[in-house]
């Protein structure tokens, strides 16, 4: 099952997107609908609200009078907490029931207006944000939904900013144009990304990336941050730390379009305990443990037990965001070097320039291979001598600057 979080500011066109995805076969779980459902007349939820806030929160026909409840509940922090303690568990239970009821190969889209405000993004395989600028949203809410302008502005002001929503978005759907354009984007999202993502997730297939070096992409930093948050949630106490490492974590450095993440663990048993949870979250284990594994031939690492370079590797099932995850043991040379390399490259412009030149020549070498797997291996091997030297240079830099891995 693939779980997608769908959100957007009020009036952005979330409902339009959710309708298209439903038509294509997604299971929609609508947070607003559930929030109403759990306090319908006759529900234990409504009875609990009456117990807490009195009969004054009901209309004459016994249904919930929302403005009256708001008046009672938003008066103090205590009453707000009380309200949440009644609503949240019931909304959570009903949501879980609907999600669990979806088929094993389902694509579940949870439509949650306040997903960003509630910091829920990391719990989903993918977060989709529908975006329209504020003035156009006000115009649509007023002209098409008949909302008084002051209300529309007040509601927008009470929600997350566009910038916060952008930062949470794995996919940003721009609904500034005609309705047909957003429908087309939603269809393309479903067919080109959600369907293959779900199939990969179920089959335990990781997406691969050809050895082509792309110009540095300013989005990589935010993509890395979202992956780190997601992986922290999956790993919980099994991870000592989770970091965005590798070339995409170095500002301005051209790179393969592959986000490297390092999960630091206490020992390899902890890494193995994470194999299934990671796979279930869309990060299947890779068979070839040594791919993309720079292991210096000499120097500090080479002098020690070769076992000290062991790691476990996972890929990603999302065809829209290839990722390579290394699980390494805290304090082992490979774990330290991944953090050091990133920080050294960020600090040393000459090192970045050398590295890019070596990458370009590795791309040319790799291009002689017909098959992608062979090309990736050739690319990685062509980079190895640079890593040998880089290992020495990076540690020399660490010593001269007093670098530590931080936390
Ligand atoms: P949300 O669910 O995100 O609050 P809606 O889907 O209800 O937003 O969209 C707000 C209003 O704008 C609705 O009346 C909707 O029909 C309309 N709308 C949605 N997309 C477009 C568009 N591309 N052009 C014009 N109007 C649109």
């Amino acid at each position: 099952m693939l779980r997608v979080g769908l959100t957007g500011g009020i009036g952005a066109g979330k409902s339009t997107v959710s309708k298209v995805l439903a038509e294509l076969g997604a299971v929609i779980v609508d947070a607003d609908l559930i929030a109403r459902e759990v306090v319908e007349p006759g529900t234990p939820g409504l009875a609990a609200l009456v117990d807490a806030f009195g009969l004054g929160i009901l209309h004459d026909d016994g249904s919930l009078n929302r403005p009256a409840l708001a008046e009672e509940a938003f008066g103090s922090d205590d009453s707000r907490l009380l309200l949440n303690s009644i609503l949240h568990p019931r909304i959570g239970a009903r949501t879980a029931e609907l999600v669990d009821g979806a088929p094993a190969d389902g694509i579940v889209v949870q439509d949650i207006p306040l997903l960003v405000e509630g910091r829920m993004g990391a719990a989903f395989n993918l977060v989709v944000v529908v975006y329209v600028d504020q003035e156009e949203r006000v115009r649509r809410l007023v002209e098409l939904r008949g909302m008084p302008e002051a209300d529309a502005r007040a509601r927008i002001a009470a929600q997350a900013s566009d910038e916060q929503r952008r930062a949470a978005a794995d996919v940003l759907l721009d609904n500034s144009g005609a309705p047909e354009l957003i429908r087309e984007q939603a269809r393309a999202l479903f067919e080109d990304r959600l369907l293959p993502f779900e199939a990969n997730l179920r089959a335990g297939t990781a997406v691969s990336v050809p050895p082509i070096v792309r110009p540095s992409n300013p989005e990589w930093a935010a993509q890395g941050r979202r992956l780190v948050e997601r992986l922290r949630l999956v790993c919980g106490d099994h991870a000592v730390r989770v970091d965005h490492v590798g070339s995409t974590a170095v500002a301005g450095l051209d790179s393969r379009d592959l986000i490297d993440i390092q999960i630091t663990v206490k020992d390899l048993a902890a890494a193995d305990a994470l194999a299934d949870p990671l796979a279930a979250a869309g990060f299947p284990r890779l068979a070839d443990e040594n791919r993309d594994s720079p292991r210096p031939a000499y120097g500090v690492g080479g002098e020690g037990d070769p076992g000290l370079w062991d790691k476990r590797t996972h890929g990603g099932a999302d065809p829209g965001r290839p990722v390579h995850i290394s699980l390494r043991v805290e304090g082992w040379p490979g774990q330290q070097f991944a953090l050091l390399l990133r920080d050294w490259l960020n600090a040393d412009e000459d090192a970045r320039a050398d590295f890019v030149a070596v990458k370009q020549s590795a791309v040319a070498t790799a291009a002689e291979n017909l098959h992608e797997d062979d090309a990736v291996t050739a690319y990685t091997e062509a980079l190895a001598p640079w890593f040998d030297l880089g290992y020495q240079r990076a540690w020399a830099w660490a010593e001269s600057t007093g670098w530590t891995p931080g936390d």
Side-chain angles (χ1 to χ4, degrees), residues 77 111 173 179 238 285 378:
D77 284 348
D111 179 337
L173 300 180
H238 288 291
R285 187 140 159 189

Side-chain angles (χ1 to χ4, degrees), residues 9-16 139-141 144-145 175 177-179 182:
I10 180 165
K14 221 164 30 66
S15 318
T16 313
R139 192 192 68 77
R140 288 180 191 173
L141 289 170
L144 305 170
R145 293 216 318 223
N175 186 20
I182 188 70

Side-chain angles (χ1 to χ4, degrees), residues 129-364:
V129 170
V130 188
Y131 170 82
V132 182
D133 81 49
Q134 210 157 298
E135 287 311 308
E136 175 64 9
R137 281 156 61 203
V138 170
R139 192 192 68 77
R140 288 180 191 173
L141 289 170
V142 171
E143 288 178 15
L144 305 170
R145 293 216 318 223
M147 196 181 276
E149 179 172 339
D151 284 8
R153 291 197 186 275
R155 295 186 63 171
I156 287 173
Q159 294 189 340
S161 66
D162 289 342
E163 197 184 330
Q164 288 168 319
R165 260 190 226 99
R166 253 176 218 278
D170 297 301
V171 176
L172 200 63
L173 300 180
D174 182 355
N175 186 20
S176 313
E180 189 41 39
L181 297 178
I182 188 70
R183 286 192 207 106
E184 191 42 57
Q185 288 181 73
R187 267 194 292 274
L189 168 71
F190 188 83
E191 274 152 24
D192 302 341
R193 191 153 180 184
L194 303 187
L195 276 180
F197 192 167
E198 189 285 319
N200 287 344
L201 192 156
R202 200 159 20 97
T205 304
V207 299
S208 64
V209 178
I212 298 172
V213 173
R214 309 276 182 195
S216 174
N217 179 348
E219 298 288 321
W220 283 337
Q223 292 173 356
R225 245 190 326 272
R226 286 191 295 274
L227 281 163
V228 164
E229 284 174 17
R230 218 159 250 150
L231 288 163
R232 276 201 186 120
L233 194 62
V234 176
C235 295
D237 291 345
H238 288 291
V240 177
R241 59 189 284 173
V242 181
D243 297 274
H244 180 195
V245 295
S247 292
T248 57
V250 179
L253 183 59
D254 298 350
S255 171
R256 272 206 294 163
D257 190 9
L258 180 66
I259 302 264
D260 282 291
I261 302 284
Q262 173 167 272
I263 298 175
T264 297
V265 286
K266 277 265 170 253
D267 48 36
L268 288 175
D272 291 334
L274 284 169
D276 288 344
L278 283 170
F283 304 105
R285 187 140 159 189
L286 300 177
D288 181 359
E289 293 289 337
N290 286 319
R291 176 180 291 182
D292 293 340
S293 162
R295 176 183 302 194
Y298 58 87
V300 180
E303 284 162 11
D305 177 353
L308 285 179
W309 287 87
D310 274 359
K311 61 174 184 169
R312 302 289 181 257
T313 56
H314 288 244
D318 178 2
R321 182 57 274 160
V323 54
H324 185 267
I325 302 167
S326 302
L327 292 94
R328 298 196 181 94
V329 176
E330 186 174 27
W332 285 11
Q335 185 262 350
Q336 299 282 293
F337 183 57
L339 299 170
L340 168 60
L341 179 69
R342 176 196 63 191
D343 294 350
W344 169 56
L345 286 173
N346 263 308
D348 187 332
E349 197 184 330
D350 291 343
R352 289 199 295 275
D354 290 356
F355 190 23
V356 169
V358 172
K359 284 182 189 211
Q360 295 296 4
S361 96
V363 168

Side-chain angles (χ1 to χ4, degrees), residues 53-59 64-74:
F53 299 105
L55 284 165
I57 63 162
L58 296 182
H59 286 297
L64 181 62
N65 180 342
R66 285 168 191 280
L69 174 65
E71 202 144 300
E72 288 292 331
F74 295 152

